[in-house]
Amino acid sequence: MSKRLLLVGAGHAHLEVIRRLKSEAWVNVEVCLISSSRYQYYSGMFSGFTEGLYSLEDTRVSLEKITREARIHFIEKTVVSLRPKQKKVICHDGSVYPFDVVSFDIGSQSLPKAFEHTVARTIKPNYEFISQIEEIRNTTHPLIVGGGAAGTELALSIQTYKEKNQIPGQVKLVTAEKVMNGFPKIVSTRLKSLLIKKGVQVWEDESVEEIHDHYIVTNSGNKIRHTSVLWLGGASAEPIFKRSGVEVDEKGFALVRDTLQFQEYDYIFGSGDCITLTAYPELQKSGVYAVKQGPVLWNNLSQFLSGQPLQEYDPQKNALYILSTGKQQGFMVYGPLSHHSRQAWKLKNKIDRDFMAKYK
Ligand SMILES: Cc1cc2nc3c(=O)[nH]c(=O)nc-3n(C[C@H](O)[C@H](O)[C@H](O)COP(=O)(O)OP(=O)(O)OC[C@H]3O[C@@H](n4cnc5c(N)ncnc54)[C@H](O)[C@@H]3O)c2cc1C
């Protein structure tokens, strides 16, 4: 009898599973992708799009096209609930999809609940990015909350866009820790200097407590005026897992074993930002890990469906990050090493274009 595998979300690891299905289809397995948008947007191209270097089509993969090529079903819906014991997922419109095996790669959210009803914008889920950034980059004093890779990169690319298009004003960046906290001190110091040199106003060690229509208030009482607020203050979990009663970490991310299977359910898999690996709870929520989980997920789904032993995912010790800093310059970080140059941007551009070509 045929089994049904549901892939929920078209994140990085699921793109790899779909790519492999084009040439290595499983026998007697019906595969469906359920994802909220008909496109998957790639965050590696977001800074280049913001600055005006990439077109809309450069940044996204058509899910209708790739699922057709892989001969799998595509359902454009948002999953809002998981019934793990009954083996069902429920979508926003009330439709119910039963499964034999399910895999989640739905990314993360970014706006904390406390700020949901304020003017703060978020670019998560990632299909929100284009419309949000097109508005934000044209305002005079956009304020970015969060000094991680995403906040730093977008602050620099919005500032560059403003300069290129002679839009007056200045980007502001407020971060609760240091810029690029968690990276070596030299990286943090160099990127902060670069932000300031390019014209971005930076507030470090200040967390945002209130967001009002035209200003924010930080924990030290600073009032900072803005024309729009973009929240990039770190990943928060989709509420689906907590609500469904599966084991989650203290932030609500689903806990998975090294095999990418949920803690207490062999037939539920997870990858990317939406999960926390029990053995590596401190691993950053970042695309580089989601990409590397793709081949392991493909192998483990294949093995599980045929009753074979699964492989363990072992995250790499150091990950390569290249941040676009504007005007085709890149800041490359690998472990303790860092380097700012045009070559670094060229390498980033090649990696990102190759990634998109592989999945389109
Ligand atoms: C500006 C920016 C720059 C970044 N730069 C880097 C970088 O340089 N290096 C790096 O490693 N990381 C970077 N990141 C982080 C990176 O984007 C994320 O870690 C990565 O996208 C997570 O991938 P994912 O596979 O978990 O899911 P995502 O890529 O977020 O995809 C999730 C998918 O699930 C779908 N979905 C969501 N919810 C549901 C639902 N309930 N039901 C059905 N479908 C759903 C979405 O539509 C989407 O298709 C950056 C992020 C940003 C915003």
Side-chain angles (χ1 to χ4, degrees):
M1 210 175 75
S2 166
K3 286 182 185 158
R4 182 191 264 184
L5 164 68
L6 293 184
L7 301 174
V8 181
H12 295 69
H14 281 177
L15 287 184
E16 177 65 12
V17 172
I18 296 166
R19 186 183 76 85
R20 299 287 280 267
L21 279 169
K22 286 186 197 174
S23 54
E24 303 169 58
W26 293 309
V27 180
N28 285 335
V29 182
E30 181 204 10
V31 186
C32 303
L33 169 72
I34 307 182
S35 202
S36 307
S37 160
R38 69 188 63 186
Y39 294 101
Q40 169 64 356
Y41 292 82
Y42 175 49
S43 64
M45 314 285 278
F46 283 177
S47 51
F49 176 85
T50 302
E51 189 186 331
L53 299 174
Y54 300 136
S55 70
L56 174 62
E57 287 314 317
D58 287 334
T59 68
R60 64 188 192 179
V61 173
S62 161
L63 299 179
E64 283 171 332
K65 176 173 179 284
I66 63 167
T67 51
R68 198 169 50 240
E69 287 167 357
R71 294 171 300 277
I72 67 177
H73 306 283
F74 172 54
I75 300 154
E76 189 183 343
K77 288 186 183 175
T78 296
V79 170
V80 292
S81 176
L82 163 67
R83 304 248 166 95
K85 291 201 169 72
Q86 297 168 16
K87 296 191 170 183
K88 285 177 181 156
V89 298
I90 295 143
C91 294
H92 66 286
D93 59 354
S95 52
V96 179
Y97 291 87
F99 60 80
D100 296 291
V101 182
V102 67
S103 174
F104 286 88
D105 187 5
I106 55 174
S108 55
Q109 297 189 330
S110 66
L111 195 58
K113 256 204 149 8
F115 298 125
E116 264 175 13
H117 302 292
T118 67
V119 291
R121 295 153 184 266
T122 162
I123 56 168
K124 300 263 176 123
N126 60 15
Y127 57 84
E128 296 280 355
F129 177 76
I130 301 292
S131 58
Q132 296 291 4
I133 212 72
E134 278 178 341
E135 278 188 43
I136 291 166
R137 68 184 177 177
N138 286 307
T139 70
T140 52
H141 291 100
L143 185 147
I144 288 177
V145 184
T152 304
E153 216 185 20
L154 285 188
L156 287 164
S157 51
I158 297 172
Q159 188 66 34
T160 308
Y161 173 85
K162 284 163 81 58
E163 197 186 315
K164 279 185 184 171
N165 294 280
Q166 294 170 352
I167 297 163
Q170 192 174 22
V171 178
K172 303 179 181 194
L173 187 144
V174 180
T175 180
E177 292 153 330
K178 299 287 179 215
V179 166
M180 295 294 281
N181 190 55
F183 287 82
K185 192 161 182 281
I186 176 99
V187 172
S188 176
T189 314
R190 287 185 70 188
L191 274 167
K192 184 183 173 189
S193 311
L194 198 65
L195 282 159
I196 294 168
K197 192 172 148 213
K198 298 250 179 182
V200 177
Q201 247 185 308
V202 180
W203 285 261
E204 286 186 324
D205 301 313
E206 302 230 21
S207 45
V208 174
E209 294 210 322
E210 294 168 33
I211 299 180
H212 299 276
D213 291 359
H214 303 293
Y215 66 94
I216 60 133
V217 182
T218 69
N219 59 338
S220 63
N222 241 330
K223 268 189 178 182
I224 306 170
R225 293 190 68 77
H226 66 79
T227 47
S228 58
V229 176
L230 176 60
W231 189 280
L232 291 166
S236 56
E238 277 279 349
I240 298 175
F241 301 125
K242 200 169 177 187
R243 273 203 305 257
S244 70
V246 298
E247 264 190 64
V248 294
D249 70 4
E250 72 283 357
K251 290 186 175 162
F253 295 105
L255 281 170
V256 302
R257 294 173 258 158
D258 291 350
T259 52
L260 305 177
Q261 289 166 296
F262 276 36
Q263 279 295 100
E264 20 14 355
Y265 297 98
D266 286 352
Y267 50 82
I268 307 183
F269 288 76
S271 51
D273 279 9
C274 68
I275 54 116
T276 290
L277 285 153
T278 317
Y280 302 94
E282 303 304 328
L283 202 68
Q284 284 197 22
K285 306 279 179 226
S286 81
V288 286
Y289 298 111
V291 169
K292 294 280 184 202
Q293 286 162 9
V296 179
L297 181 69
W298 160 258
N299 183 55
N300 284 356
L301 288 172
S302 307
Q303 295 289 94
F304 185 76
L305 287 162
S306 58
Q308 303 295 314
L310 308 195
Q311 160 189 6
E312 287 183 357
Y313 164 71
D314 186 16
Q316 68 265 44
K317 288 213 167 43
N318 286 314
L320 174 71
Y321 288 87
I322 308 177
L323 274 61
S324 169
T325 57
K327 298 188 180 158
Q328 303 188 2
Q329 294 254 322
F331 194 97
M332 187 158 80
V333 185
Y334 186 73
L337 308 173
S338 62
H339 174 64
H340 186 219
S341 66
R342 215 173 155 76
Q343 276 68 35
W345 183 86
K346 280 189 178 159
L347 178 61
K348 175 177 166 53
N349 180 51
K350 178 166 173 18
I351 293 171
D352 292 337
R353 286 202 181 272
D354 287 353
F355 178 85
M356 290 305 268
K358 186 173 170 187
Y359 293 108
K360 273 194 173 196

